[in-house]
Amino acid sequence: MDAKPLIFDLDLPDLAQLFLSWGEPAYRAAQVWQGLYSHLWEDPVEFTSLPNSLRQKLDAYLTFTRLKPVQVLESGDGATRKTLFSLPDGQAVEAVRMGYARRRTLCISTQAGCAMGCVFCATGQMGFRRHLSSGEIVEQVLYYARQSKSAGERITNIVLMGMGEPFHNYEATMAAIDRLNHPKGFNFGARRFTVSTVGLVPQIRRFASERRQVNLAVSLHAADDELRSSMLPVNRKYPLDELFDACRQYAEITHRRITFEWALIREVNDTPTQAQLLASRLHGMLCHVNVIPLNPTRNYAGQATTKERALTFKSELEKYNIPCTIRLRRGIDIQAGCGQLATDEKKARKLPA
Ligand code: SAH
Ligand code: SF4
């Protein structure tokens, strides 16, 4: 690990405290905060409004980069770009930028690997390596924000759907969101974040009680316990009745619409029976269902659904007035479906990192 603390792990008061301990006035912290999160500076030499001595101290005691981009892949149509970052301890994480219509969405990671072991997920298949710190989560966003800025674009949405389970790393995930949401800095609106969880019930309840404006997505994938437990081992700990209790409590407390994620796997969970079971579970609830054809992974035999079966699934849900969107597998040629680490470089364009 880098011996120096990562500057993005610090909140504004932490920075002010540090500067005080260096004998610097607290207002310098606000200047640095603005440099980092408004101007998107990434090197102490850029902070020309600071005295030279302070720039030197920043350089000596803090690090401004922990994530090293080692591979950049762009989809054939140029709309999706995935960056693989290496960390000083040898771990690797990825982040993806997707640009479609007027949206520029970033999909970022919260852990290296994942402990949840969902059978169809490339990240689950690699197991848990470690939690990311809040600063390491923030740094993924700033990396893309700098690129967007030089291209004259703005990021419109941030989804925490990359590697890892955000609610297994709750504190760091929320700290990262709060830091990026800070009005005097990056000022990214809470409503433009989406946190996706595999269904950790205590954390869903906690998230509800905190009444955050951040959107919640729950990865469901099956509407009966037997099938869900065979795909998502976490379902044995938090079965569907408990999960839906927590989701209903969330909807009641926050009045916010939950998105349920469903990867359609041919003849596994894309049947009309599953759609009907799902509809009965969601009856009367403020929600939306996003279905996406499975991205096949090396260690899972399941196949993607067909277009016809996806349409049947959607219309089955709509019979019960459950809104459903079929998502396209954007950036499939770079395995940019979040949580997909394996890269198929055949169609992707490799760019200098
Ligand atoms: N751990 C969180 C967020 C990261 S995974 C979660 O599970 O929700 C983000 C989304 O990608 C989840 O909905 C997950 O189920 C889905 N996903 C993982 N592997 C996939 C695959 N091979 N094909 C389609 N979706 C997949
Ligand atoms: Fe982890 Fe989400 Fe993948 Fe499941 S789907 S293994 S929770 S990253």
Side-chain angles (χ1 to χ4, degrees), residues 74-137:
E74 201 171 80
S75 59
D77 62 4
T80 305
R81 178 181 285 207
K82 176 165 86 166
T83 305
L84 187 70
F85 299 97
S86 76
L87 291 154
D89 61 354
Q91 298 303 338
V93 291
E94 60 180 25
V96 185
R97 192 212 67 158
M98 295 161 281
Y100 291 95
R102 290 197 309 281
R103 286 192 166 200
R104 298 278 173 279
T105 302
L106 281 190
C107 175
I108 57 169
S109 297
T110 54
Q111 298 176 318
C114 183
M116 301 298 139
C118 306
V119 294
F120 51 80
C121 170
T123 310
Q125 289 161 13
M126 68 185 274
F128 180 69
R129 303 293 168 80
R130 74 163 168 90
H131 293 303
L132 295 190
S133 74
S134 58
E136 291 165 343
I137 300 172

Side-chain angles (χ1 to χ4, degrees), residues 41-224:
W41 292 333
E42 53 184 321
D43 192 302
V45 296
E46 292 176 275
F47 291 73
T48 46
S49 54
L50 301 181
N52 208 10
S53 58
L54 180 54
R55 270 186 275 162
Q56 280 170 0
K57 265 191 210 142
L58 283 173
D59 197 28
Y61 294 107
L62 295 165
T63 183
F64 282 57
T65 38
R66 186 170 290 160
L67 270 57
K68 188 166 161 242
V70 286
Q71 196 177 48
V72 181
L73 295 174
E74 201 171 80
S75 59
D77 62 4
T80 305
R81 178 181 285 207
K82 176 165 86 166
T83 305
L84 187 70
F85 299 97
S86 76
L87 291 154
D89 61 354
Q91 298 303 338
V93 291
E94 60 180 25
V96 185
R97 192 212 67 158
M98 295 161 281
Y100 291 95
R102 290 197 309 281
R103 286 192 166 200
R104 298 278 173 279
T105 302
L106 281 190
C107 175
I108 57 169
S109 297
T110 54
Q111 298 176 318
C114 183
M116 301 298 139
C118 306
V119 294
F120 51 80
C121 170
T123 310
Q125 289 161 13
M126 68 185 274
F128 180 69
R129 303 293 168 80
R130 74 163 168 90
H131 293 303
L132 295 190
S133 74
S134 58
E136 291 165 343
I137 300 172
V138 165
E139 198 182 326
Q140 297 168 57
V141 173
L142 296 182
Y143 168 85
Y144 275 108
R146 291 181 199 118
Q147 284 187 359
S148 300
K149 192 174 177 181
S150 47
E153 293 172 358
R154 278 186 86 82
I155 299 163
T156 59
N157 301 81
I158 297 176
V159 298
L160 291 96
M161 290 193 186
M163 293 170 70
E165 165 53 39
F167 279 180
H168 183 211
N169 189 15
Y170 193 93
E171 305 287 342
T173 298
M174 296 308 150
I177 291 175
D178 290 343
R179 211 160 290 142
L180 292 164
N181 175 234
H182 197 287
K184 287 191 184 139
F186 196 66
N187 197 18
F188 198 86
R191 289 162 192 264
R192 294 192 286 139
F193 287 94
T194 300
V195 175
S196 175
T197 179
V198 70
L200 301 186
V201 164
Q203 287 88 330
I204 293 174
R205 294 196 192 279
R206 175 172 174 188
F207 188 69
S209 72
E210 289 171 357
R211 295 169 191 266
R212 292 171 175 274
Q213 301 290 306
V214 172
N215 301 300
L216 179 64
V218 175
S219 300
L220 212 51
H221 308 303
D224 70 83

